[in-house]
Structure formats: structure tokens, C-alpha cells
Amino acid sequence: GPEAPQEGLDTDVKLFFDSAPPLRDSLSLSERLTEFIERNSWSSGNKRPNRVVCITSGGTTVPLERRCIRYIDNFSSGHRGAASTEYFLKAGYAVIYLHRRGTCQPYCRSLPEDSFLECLEVTEESSVQVHQSHSAVVTRALRDHHAAVEKRLLLKLPFTTIFEYLQILRMVAISMRSLGAHCMFYLAAAVSDFYVPWDCMVEHKIQSASGPLDMRLAQVPKMLLVLRKEWSPMAFCISFKLETDSKILLEKADKALRKYNVHMVVANELSTRKEVVILVTGSERLTVRRNKNEADDDVENPLIKLLVEKHSAYIEESILRETA
Amino acid sequence: GPEAPQEGLDTDVKLFFDSAPPLRDSLSLSERLTEFIERNSWSSGNKRPNRVVCITSGGTTVPLERRCIRYIDNFSSGHRGAASTEYFLKAGYAVIYLHRRGTCQPYCRSLPEDSFLECLEVTEESSVQVHQSHSAVVTRALRDHHAAVEKRLLLKLPFTTIFEYLQILRMVAISMRSLGAHCMFYLAAAVSDFYVPWDCMVEHKIQSASGPLDMRLAQVPKMLLVLRKEWSPMAFCISFKLETDSKILLEKADKALRKYNVHMVVANELSTRKEVVILVTGSERLTVRRNKNEADDDVENPLIKLLVEKHSAYIEESILRETA
């Protein structure tokens, strides 16, 4: 369809945030965020990295009732975001991991589904130990995860609803603005396209009458445009396009690149997303594949290497522009 | 609305199951189920309990696309089902815990949200240990959980979609039929009222065009009626009614009791569900409260005590009827 004119977007964005239920703990969140960015910014003059990436991960929910029982959800395990967090940390970035509550956590990808009950046992002496078969995986997961958090290189911020997600993303983006070109957004979350505005939402549980249920959902305003334009205009910005139909994937990725004015789009298809992605830029389409010769390799390994290079080039350019 | 005539229901039920995507691992599931029920049935003549309860727990999802990215979900932590499982086991029942994948597990209710990462640490000698502060809770959780599974008193069956849930419930109910009045259904899961029939579902991800999204959902056939009538007619059957509006709660519970021909309905309100429930039978409304004098008590403690008594009376009656 035709692009919404800027004025329409502004109104939609304002309506969305004005009508959203207020974020809990927004003050303490804001403090943790400011402290994290200050610690990891170049200007603080310490030996910490001067690049910060905000990785979004997992699906957002759309409540259908105010006292929420039913909601629409977007399937996403958070595996992509968790893996990417590990590789960005390895590359020396500080990471803000904005993730759906309960989804996959960095360094915990190889744990079994119900890891707590499956990995642990009580010995005869009543101490808890890890089953031998899981021992190496568990030890590494715990050590790497705790190390990143303790060194304050990893800040984990959970969300559930689309309202929480977009409010926190806005806070993060505005806080990161001071980092200029040194910050990156890696937007891998599966964000709802449609929602029920809080003002239109029924207070109580929808009653199941005898007939079918008809629902009308409004479009979520295109916040990516606002992020690029207002919240953090200098940030290096990567968005994701997931489709189930390979025939329309690249076309949709190209369209997203232009429409949202992001620097790159990672195009991926549901059935092959762990094997291959295509990095779409204004001038290139780069196919990135998992290294099948290494059993443990992830497609995120070469992808993040490539993105770090692209980010370096972007920072260089922005310095040249500034000094020109 | 008016009750659907039986013929309409039969057609709807047949359509639902015929069009549902086939259950994975249904053969191995059926074997585990048969073995579990045989082990715990009175007829096996061993010292095991002769009462089996199927507890359903957590919400079912309704996929909106065949290659599922978006779905409708029902909020439920699974806390009720997990707590009830513990009390039924304590009362000597064998429990089939039909639960939403990833929700609260029996004996694990007091663990922190992200329990694996929060409870464990790696020592300097590279062994994994539980943080002192969580030690007692974790040890008890693991020991009790593993004991129940190892003694084959607890069979855990996970589901995600409404299709999986109803197909497994049907298998369980038909398998339990042989137990007669000694089996119970305790249906605490938050089951979707509406769904998109598989045949009507779009293959690919719904495209977000410029306008709003209109959806039409069909009613899920009232499977409780079929459970009562065909799958397991002798079972003692408890269903749940959760509402957010206290004004309509008891009226809805009464209606459910009559409509589905269940033996009892546990009526509960979203905001007070951990403190109080009302057990609605054909002749009584019994208010059941958590014992506030004991810090760790749950409302499920007195509720399950009461239900066990009611079940005993029901078994007595059924024996009298048989011998009459």
C-alpha cells in the first residue's frame, strides 16, 4: 500500500504510547540503562568496549482483553537473539539483550528444554549435582553467562507485550543516541504487526457466545521509522525479515530496506533459518551460510563477523563525514 | 445461546479431529499411557494406588497460519495444575499431568523465574553448585519431582496447540475408561474457545497490508460433552471456570455444570484465584480458602482434600449402583 504520510504516523505513534498501559519499574530501568551505557561508552575513557548493540529477541504478545487472559503471540524461540548475543560479546561489544520473558538465554542454547529438572540430580548426601552427561555443557553455560553479566557487558531486559517492548525499545534507543555511530540495533524480535489499542480493548474476558468470533486488529505504527528518524538517528540499524514463502522473501526484504530506511535487512526463511540467511543492503545481497564442517557452528557466527565489519566501515564513514 | 443439537456436535467434533494436523509420536505416547494406567490400576493387584487423575494445566495455542508464526494464546502459568499435582500425589493418586510445554512443573513452583541461571553457580574447582540461598528449595524440588517420576506415579505429557491438547486428552480419556469410577479428570487447562480450522488456515504468514486485519474464528466443539458421554463416561469429572468479572462467575459456573454434565465446577476469579475458589456442585456451593495462618499453604491443599472426599463418595455410590 501507499506509505502513510509523516503526519499520520506521528499521530499513530502518539496514540500508541499515550494509550499504552504504563511500564512497571520504568525509573529503575532507566537508571540501569543509563549506568550500563555510560560504563560501556567510549567517552568514559576506560578500557571497556566502545560499541554497544541492542539485540531484540523473541516474540511480542498482543493482549485481547485488558485483564489479559487471551492474547495473540508471535512464535519465536529466541534462539537467534541468544546466539547473536554470544557472538557480539565475543567480538567485544557490550550487549543490551531486550528479550521476551522465558525465551532462550545467551550460552544456554544447548541445554535441554526442561533444563533444571533434566540436568540436575540430588546425591545420597543431599547435595545437588549435574548429571555427568550434561556436565560440560552446563558448566560452560553458567560460567560464560555469569561472566558477561558480572563484567557488565550484558544487560538483560525482559518484555512480554507489544506495549512493554516498544516502550523499552524507545528508552533504549534514546539512551543510546549519545553513542552516535558506535551503537547498533539488531532487531531480531518477532514484533506483532497488529494490535488492539488499549482504549478499544474490552475490560473483561471475551464471552464465548454461540457463534464465531470476529476480531478487528489495528496496525502497529511503524516504530522503526521513528527509531531511525528521531530516537537514535546515527545508530547502525539492522532489521530482520522472516517469511515462510521463499518466493516473496527477497522482494519483501528490499521493500523493508527502503521503507524503514534501515542500513541492512537480514532475510530469512522459517524452514532454513538456522542454515542460511541473506544480508540485503542497498547495493548487495550477501548469502551467509553456517559452516557445516564444524558441527557446533551457527549461522550467527559468520553473520555477526560480517556485520561487525560493516559496522566498522559505517563508523569510519561517519568519522570522515564529521571531519569533512 | 441454544445448545447445539447432538448431531451438530458430532459433525463438529469429527471435522475438528479429521482436519487436525496428526499428532507426532502418537504410537509411543499411546504405549506409555497404556503402561502407566496398567501399572496404576486396581486390577493389576499390586500395592500401587488404584486411583488415577488426569490433570490438565496451562493454556492451549490456536495457530493462525499453518506454518505457524502467529497464534492466539491463553494466559496460564500452570501454577494451579502443578500445585494440584503435588497434592493429588500426596493423597495417593497416580497423576497424568497433561501440561502446556514450558509451564510450571510440580515441585518447582518456588523456584525463581529463570531458575537455571539464578540458582546455580560454578565453583573455583569448576563444579556446579546451588547458591546457598536457594539450596533447600532446589534440593526438595529435585528430590520430590524425580521420586514421583521414578516411582511411575507421575506421567508428564506436554502439549502446545489446541489440536495437540484435544487429541492427547481423547487418548488419555479412552485409555482411562477401564478404570471406571476410580479415575478423575481435573481440567484446569485454559482451553481456547475459538480456533481457525486447519482447512481454512492460510499456508503462509499473513501479510500486513495497509489496513486493519479482520479475523473470523470458529468455536471449538464442546469436547467436554464428548468426554463425559463417550470417551470416559464413568470418570469423576471436574472442570474449571475462570472469569475476571465476579458478578457473572457463579452464574457461568452453574451453567457449565448443567451444560457439560460434569460432576463439579471449580469457580475462580483471576485476581483472587490463589486465595479462594468456590466448588460448585449440583446441590452445593462450597467456598474453599487458603489457610493464611500457614505461610506456605496453597488453596489447592484444602481443595484437593475436599475433592478426594467427594471422589471417595462417588466411588462408593458407583459400587452401590453396580451391586444394586
Side-chain angles (χ1 to χ4, degrees):
Chain A
E3 319 286 89
Q6 180 60 33
E7 202 175 301
L9 177 66
D10 287 348
T11 311
D12 290 350
V13 169
K14 189 171 168 3
L15 270 176
F16 181 91
F17 284 117
D18 284 353
S19 83
L23 204 54
R24 264 180 259 173
D25 304 321
S26 70
L27 205 66
S28 104
L29 190 69
S30 166
E31 281 169 7
R32 289 168 63 208
L33 204 50
T34 307
E35 197 256 8
F36 185 83
I37 290 168
E38 175 61 28
R39 270 192 170 259
N40 289 296
S41 71
W42 178 80
S43 61
S44 66
N46 56 22
K47 287 174 186 166
R48 305 185 67 88
N50 59 358
R51 293 191 191 177
V52 181
V53 59
C54 172
I55 296 177
T56 69
S57 181
T60 62
T61 69
V62 170
L64 298 178
E65 301 138 335
R66 286 199 194 179
R67 308 200 188 178
C68 181
I69 294 179
R70 296 189 185 86
Y71 55 92
I72 297 181
D73 206 344
N74 276 260
F75 170 76
S76 172
S77 65
H79 189 278
R80 171 91 73 212
S84 303
T85 297
E86 297 171 29
Y87 289 107
F88 271 114
L89 285 166
K90 198 172 168 189
Y93 283 62
V95 179
I96 296 171
Y97 186 54
L98 181 53
H99 66 283
R100 165 70 177 273
R101 206 168 263 115
T103 53
C104 189
Q105 295 298 299
Y107 306 110
C108 298
R109 294 178 288 135
S110 44
L111 298 178
E113 191 184 309
D114 208 349
S115 52
F116 199 83
L117 289 169
E118 286 176 44
C119 290
L120 302 177
E121 61 190 357
V122 179
T123 64
E124 282 176 19
E125 297 80 35
S126 287
S127 74
V128 172
Q129 71 179 27
V130 180
H131 287 300
Q132 193 103 42
S133 56
H134 294 297
S135 180
V137 169
V138 168
T139 307
R140 202 171 56 231
L142 288 169
R143 181 183 290 152
D144 292 351
H145 188 98
H146 288 310
V149 173
E150 273 155 30
K151 287 183 199 153
R152 308 216 198 161
L153 290 171
L154 173 60
L155 178 67
K156 301 204 296 175
L157 304 178
F159 65 83
T160 302
T161 67
I162 180 81
F163 301 110
E164 289 171 343
Y165 172 79
L166 287 175
Q167 287 180 94
I168 303 175
L169 183 65
R170 181 175 60 170
M171 283 177 72
V172 171
I174 292 172
S175 302
M176 278 171 70
R177 194 192 291 158
S178 62
L179 300 172
H182 285 75
C183 76
M184 188 196 290
F185 284 86
Y186 179 91
L187 303 164
V191 182
S192 323
D193 296 313
F194 300 101
Y195 81 117
V196 184
W198 198 255
D199 293 339
C200 306
M201 216 180 284
V202 293
E203 172 82 13
H204 288 295
K205 193 179 169 189
I206 298 167
Q207 293 301 318
S208 59
S210 50
L213 177 69
D214 290 307
M215 279 196 304
R216 166 159 282 202
L217 301 171
Q219 279 215 320
V220 174
K222 302 299 180 195
M223 296 294 180
L224 204 38
L225 278 174
V226 193
L227 189 156
R228 287 288 297 129
K229 196 169 177 148
E230 292 173 23
W231 298 343
S232 203
M234 285 293 288
F236 190 56
C237 199
I238 317 294
S239 74
F240 279 71
K241 196 78 206 171
L242 173 71
E243 292 291 339
T244 59
D245 186 353
S246 62
K247 289 195 291 292
I248 61 168
L249 176 61
L250 287 175
E251 182 199 321
K252 299 281 292 183
D254 277 331
K255 207 172 152 189
L257 190 74
R258 289 193 306 273
K259 186 168 175 188
Y260 301 119
N261 191 28
V262 292
H263 299 96
M264 297 174 183
V265 174
V266 179
N268 59 140
E269 205 197 313
L270 189 63
S271 60
T272 58
R273 69 194 189 283
K274 293 190 175 178
E275 296 298 321
V276 59
V277 300
I278 299 167
L279 186 65
V280 177
T281 75
S283 56
E284 296 172 301
R285 288 178 176 182
L286 302 167
T287 301
V288 180
R289 285 180 200 282
R290 185 174 79 82
N291 181 355
K292 287 184 185 168
N293 298 327
E294 289 182 41
D296 285 343
D297 201 48
D298 307 294
V299 68
E300 290 80 8
N301 186 7
L303 174 63
I304 275 60
K305 279 193 183 125
L306 185 58
L307 287 177
V308 169
E309 281 172 28
K310 298 282 182 190
H311 190 200
S312 298
Y314 176 80
I315 294 170
E316 286 293 317
E317 277 169 38
S318 81
I319 293 169
L320 287 176
R321 263 202 310 276
E322 273 173 30
T323 53
Chain B
E3 318 287 87
Q6 180 62 33
E7 202 176 301
L9 178 67
D10 287 348
T11 312
D12 290 351
V13 168
K14 188 171 167 7
L15 270 176
F16 181 92
F17 284 118
D18 284 353
S19 84
L23 204 55
R24 264 180 259 172
D25 305 320
S26 70
L27 205 66
S28 104
L29 190 68
S30 165
E31 281 169 7
R32 288 167 64 208
L33 205 48
T34 307
E35 198 257 6
F36 185 83
I37 289 168
E38 176 59 29
R39 270 192 169 260
N40 290 295
S41 71
W42 178 80
S43 60
S44 66
N46 56 22
K47 287 175 187 165
R48 304 185 68 89
N50 59 359
R51 292 192 193 178
V52 182
V53 58
C54 172
I55 295 177
T56 69
S57 180
T60 62
T61 69
V62 170
L64 299 177
E65 301 139 335
R66 285 199 193 178
R67 307 200 189 180
C68 181
I69 293 178
R70 295 189 185 86
Y71 55 92
I72 297 181
D73 206 344
N74 276 259
F75 170 76
S76 172
S77 65
H79 189 277
R80 171 92 73 212
S84 303
T85 297
E86 296 171 29
Y87 290 107
F88 271 113
L89 285 166
K90 200 173 166 188
Y93 282 62
V95 179
I96 296 171
Y97 186 55
L98 181 53
H99 66 282
R100 166 70 176 273
R101 207 167 261 116
T103 53
C104 189
Q105 294 298 299
Y107 306 110
C108 298
R109 294 178 288 134
S110 44
L111 299 177
E113 190 183 312
D114 209 349
S115 52
F116 199 84
L117 288 169
E118 286 176 44
C119 292
L120 302 176
E121 61 189 357
V122 178
T123 64
E124 282 176 18
E125 297 79 36
S126 288
S127 73
V128 172
Q129 70 179 27
V130 179
H131 287 300
Q132 192 105 43
S133 56
H134 295 298
S135 181
V137 169
V138 167
T139 308
R140 203 173 53 233
L142 288 169
R143 182 183 289 153
D144 293 349
H145 187 99
H146 288 312
V149 173
E150 273 156 30
K151 286 183 200 152
R152 308 217 199 159
L153 290 171
L154 173 59
L155 178 67
K156 302 204 296 175
L157 304 177
F159 64 84
T160 302
T161 68
I162 180 80
F163 301 110
E164 288 170 342
Y165 172 78
L166 286 174
Q167 288 180 93
I168 302 175
L169 182 65
R170 181 175 60 170
M171 283 177 73
V172 171
I174 292 172
S175 302
M176 278 170 69
R177 194 192 291 159
S178 61
L179 300 172
H182 286 75
C183 76
M184 189 196 290
F185 284 86
Y186 179 91
L187 303 164
V191 183
S192 323
D193 297 312
F194 300 100
Y195 81 117
V196 184
W198 197 257
D199 293 340
C200 305
M201 215 180 284
V202 293
E203 171 83 12
H204 289 294
K205 193 179 170 190
I206 298 167
Q207 294 300 318
S208 59
S210 48
L213 176 68
D214 291 308
M215 279 196 303
R216 165 159 283 202
L217 302 172
Q219 280 214 322
V220 174
K222 302 300 181 193
M223 296 294 180
L224 204 38
L225 278 174
V226 193
L227 189 156
R228 287 287 298 127
K229 198 170 175 146
E230 293 174 22
W231 298 343
S232 203
M234 286 292 290
F236 189 56
C237 199
I238 318 294
S239 75
F240 279 71
K241 196 77 205 170
L242 173 70
E243 291 292 339
T244 58
D245 186 353
S246 61
K247 289 196 290 292
I248 61 169
L249 176 61
L250 287 175
E251 181 198 322
K252 299 282 291 183
D254 276 331
K255 207 171 152 189
L257 191 73
R258 289 193 305 273
K259 186 168 175 188
Y260 301 120
N261 190 28
V262 293
H263 299 96
M264 297 177 182
V265 174
V266 180
N268 59 140
E269 205 197 313
L270 188 63
S271 60
T272 58
R273 69 194 190 282
K274 293 189 175 178
E275 296 299 321
V276 60
V277 300
I278 299 168
L279 187 64
V280 177
T281 76
S283 56
E284 297 172 302
R285 287 178 176 183
L286 302 167
T287 302
V288 180
R289 286 180 201 282
R290 186 175 78 84
N291 180 356
K292 287 183 185 167
N293 298 327
E294 289 182 41
D296 285 343
D297 200 47
D298 307 293
V299 68
E300 290 81 7
N301 185 7
L303 174 63
I304 275 61
K305 277 192 184 125
L306 184 57
L307 287 177
V308 169
E309 281 171 28
K310 298 282 182 191
H311 190 200
S312 299
Y314 176 79
I315 293 170
E316 286 294 318
E317 276 168 39
S318 82
I319 293 170
L320 287 176
R321 262 201 311 276
E322 273 173 30
T323 53

